[in-house]
Amino acid sequence: MTFSSDIFETRESEVRSYSRGWPAVFEKASGSWLTDREGVRYLDFFAGAGALNYGHNHPVLKEALLEYMSGDGITHGLDMSTVAKGEFLQSFQDTILMPRNLDYKVMFPGPTGTNTVEAALKLARKVTGREAIINFTNAFHGMTLGALSVTGNAFKRAGAGVPLVHTTPMPYDDYFDGDMKDFRWFEQVLGDSGSGFNKPAGVIVETVQGEGGVNVARAEWLRGLADLCKRHEILLIVDDVQMGCGRTGPFFSFEIAGITPDIVTLSKSIGGYGLPMALTLFKRDLDVWSPAEHNGTFRGNNPSFVTAKAAIDHFWSDDTFEKATIAKGNRIHEVFTELSEKYDGVSTRGRGMAQGLVFDVAENAGKVCSLAFDEHLLTETAGPSDQVVKLLPPLTISDDELEQGLDILARATAKVV
C-alpha cells in the first residue's frame, strides 16, 4: 500500500459523497465490474452517473485510445483544428446527425455537463436579447451558478451562497398528478400583459429527470412544450447530459417525441470512455458567437475525441445497440413492476435503461442501496427526498449480469419492506 489507510478522511474534503455510501477502495474496472484493492468485485449499476454507458475500459475504445497516445497524438488542443477533432466531427455528422435530419452546429464549451449548460443559457440570452429562463420542478442541470439557477434541488441551490436569479420554475410533466392541464399556468402568464411575467429567452428541460427522481416526460408533453416554445418564439433547450448517448434507447432522448430542440447539451458518455468532454449543439441560424466570446482551456481534450469517435463508429452504425438497450430496459421495468405489485409502498418509473424503484417511505431507498452494496452491487438514490433507487447500468451489460443485479435488488427490497 502506497498511502495511509485514513488518507481520504484526513486529507480529502468533507464534500465527498459516493465514497461514504460505498466504503471500498477501488483499483480496477472492466465492463460492468469494479474491483477493490482486496480483490472483491462489485457489479456496477451506477456507471459513473451515466458517464460510462459503454462500460469500463471497453476494449474497442481502449485500443483506439492507446494507439493514439502511443503515437504521440495531441492531448491538449484548445480549439485548434486537429486530426482527432476532425475525425470525431465527421463521424458525429455522418452517423448521428445526418441520419436524424439534424443540422446542428457543434460547440466544444469545456469538459463537463455544467459547462455545456452554461453555454446553452448564454447563447439563448444572446440570440433573443432576453434574460429569463424557464426551468422545471425537480430539475438538475449542474453545479455552477447559471446551471444551479435552473436546478430545483433546494440543498444544491443553497450552496451557491448568492441569489440565483432570472429563472422561473414551471411544473414538470404530471407534477399535479393530472389535476392540471399541461402548460396551463405557463400559457396563461405568457398571454397576460398584467401577469408581470417577462418573456423568457429559453426553456431548459430534461426528457427524463435523473437526479430529480427518474421522472419521465411523456412524448405528448414534450411535443406540447416544443409547440408552445415555437408559438411564442422561445428557444427550447434539451439537457441530454445524462439521458443522451443511448441511455433511453435512441442516441438522443428526445427522439421518441419527434421534436427538434433549438439547443441540445451533451456530456458524460459522449466521450465514450469516461474521459471529460461536452458538446453544445444548436440550429445553424443560432450560431451568432463571435470568435473567443465563449471559451475554455480544456475544450480541446483530444483523447476524448478519439474515444468518442470510436464509440460512435462501434455502437451506432446501425440500430442493434439501441434495440438491445430498449430490451434490457424493458427487463428492468418488468422486474420492478413485479416488486411494485408485490409490496405496498413501492412503485416504478423510467425509460430505457434509466429506471427507478420508488419508495413511499423515503429512507427505504437508502436501505435498499446499502443492502445491495453488502452484496457487492453499486446503486444510488435520487429524488428530492432520496426516495428512489436509480439504476444506470452500463448499456453494454450482459443479460446474466443484469439478472444478477436485479436479483440482489429484489432480495434487498424484500428485506426492507
Side-chain angles (χ1 to χ4, degrees):
M1 185 174 64
T2 58
F3 53 87
S4 169
S5 60
D6 65 350
I7 190 65
F8 301 108
E9 293 204 9
T10 61
R11 187 55 58 187
E12 191 178 1
S13 167
E14 292 299 315
V15 78
R16 66 190 187 282
S17 60
Y18 292 115
S19 58
R20 299 179 189 275
W22 303 332
V25 180
F26 298 104
E27 185 175 17
K28 297 180 180 181
S30 178
S32 302
W33 298 87
L34 289 99
T35 305
D36 71 14
R37 62 178 178 177
E38 308 298 331
V40 178
R41 299 175 77 226
Y42 294 80
L43 184 55
D44 187 2
F45 271 25
F46 173 67
L52 295 165
N53 282 3
Y54 312 112
H56 298 272
N57 287 302
H58 191 282
V60 172
L61 311 189
K62 180 166 63 175
E63 181 181 1
L65 178 61
L66 291 176
E67 181 180 347
Y68 181 76
M69 298 303 291
S70 65
D72 290 334
I74 292 170
T75 298
H76 182 273
L78 295 168
D79 68 356
M80 294 184 292
S81 298
T82 66
V83 170
K85 184 198 284 186
E87 291 183 343
F88 162 73
L89 284 170
Q90 192 71 54
S91 284
F92 190 66
Q93 170 186 279
D94 295 349
T95 306
I96 302 300
L97 295 181
M98 293 298 97
R100 294 164 176 81
N101 295 315
L102 298 173
D103 188 24
Y104 287 134
K105 296 294 288 289
V106 179
M107 176 182 178
F108 300 90
T112 72
T114 201
N115 289 131
T116 179
V117 169
E118 294 285 354
L121 300 181
K122 184 189 288 189
L123 179 61
R125 287 166 170 147
K126 178 177 175 62
V127 168
T128 64
R130 308 177 205 132
E131 295 179 350
I133 301 289
I134 300 299
N135 59 298
F136 290 94
T137 50
N138 292 312
F140 178 79
H141 296 288
M143 298 297 283
T144 50
L145 290 182
L148 270 181
S149 72
V150 289
T151 289
N153 187 284
F155 173 73
K156 291 180 173 64
R157 288 175 63 89
V162 297
L164 298 172
V165 297
H166 306 306
T167 62
T168 302
M170 289 288 171
Y172 193 69
D173 189 15
D174 205 32
Y175 186 74
F176 293 107
D177 298 321
D179 291 338
M180 180 178 287
K181 182 180 177 182
D182 293 343
F183 313 116
R184 177 181 175 185
W185 170 250
F186 198 177
E187 289 271 20
Q188 185 77 16
V189 294
L190 277 172
D192 184 358
S193 60
S195 69
F197 185 77
N198 294 325
K199 186 175 182 178
V203 173
I204 185 167
V205 66
E206 303 155 275
T207 65
V208 180
Q209 295 180 327
E211 298 300 314
V214 197
N215 305 309
V216 180
R218 293 166 295 141
E220 55 266 35
W221 187 87
L222 293 169
R223 286 192 289 269
L225 178 62
D227 177 67
L228 182 153
C229 289
K230 183 177 181 180
R231 285 187 285 106
H232 291 278
E233 298 181 326
I234 301 167
L235 297 180
L236 176 61
I237 306 167
V238 168
D239 183 341
D240 239 1
V241 167
Q242 188 170 78
M243 295 301 158
C245 302
R247 174 53 58 181
T248 66
F251 187 87
F252 295 106
S253 71
F254 56 80
E255 291 181 51
I256 190 174
I259 62 174
T260 303
D262 298 293
I263 304 174
V264 181
T265 65
L266 288 174
S267 187
K268 291 189 182 286
S269 280
I270 187 60
Y273 200 71
L275 298 177
M277 180 176 169
L279 304 178
T280 310
L281 313 178
F282 38 84
K283 292 180 177 178
R284 189 169 290 272
D285 63 324
L286 302 182
D287 193 7
V288 297
W289 294 112
S290 297
E293 188 175 7
H294 186 96
N295 54 33
T297 302
F298 291 99
R299 65 194 183 278
N301 185 14
N302 280 248
S304 298
F305 302 156
V306 172
T307 51
K309 177 190 183 303
I312 289 171
D313 292 346
H314 184 72
F315 292 104
W316 295 101
S317 60
D318 58 32
D319 62 358
T320 302
F321 186 64
E322 177 180 340
K323 289 180 177 178
T325 298
I326 293 171
K328 292 171 188 174
N330 289 339
R331 176 56 184 157
I332 299 171
H333 179 71
E334 181 181 274
V335 172
F336 278 8
T337 298
E338 291 173 357
L339 292 174
S340 300
E341 293 172 348
K342 187 174 183 179
Y343 302 112
D344 292 336
V346 180
S347 58
T348 186
R349 55 185 180 237
R351 177 179 292 151
M353 287 183 72
Q355 296 287 335
L357 194 63
V358 188
F359 292 84
D360 289 353
V361 179
E363 64 184 25
N364 284 347
K367 291 179 180 179
V368 168
C369 288
S370 180
L371 288 173
F373 179 79
D374 291 342
E375 293 198 48
H376 305 150
L377 176 70
L378 303 183
T379 56
E380 71 164 341
T381 58
S385 302
D386 284 321
Q387 77 276 26
V388 181
V389 175
K390 181 175 74 171
L391 262 61
L392 297 174
L395 308 184
T396 52
I397 194 170
S398 71
D399 291 340
D400 288 345
E401 290 168 337
L402 185 61
E403 292 299 329
Q404 182 177 343
L406 292 174
D407 286 346
I408 291 173
L409 285 172
R411 289 195 296 272
T413 300
K415 289 180 181 179
V416 170
V417 301

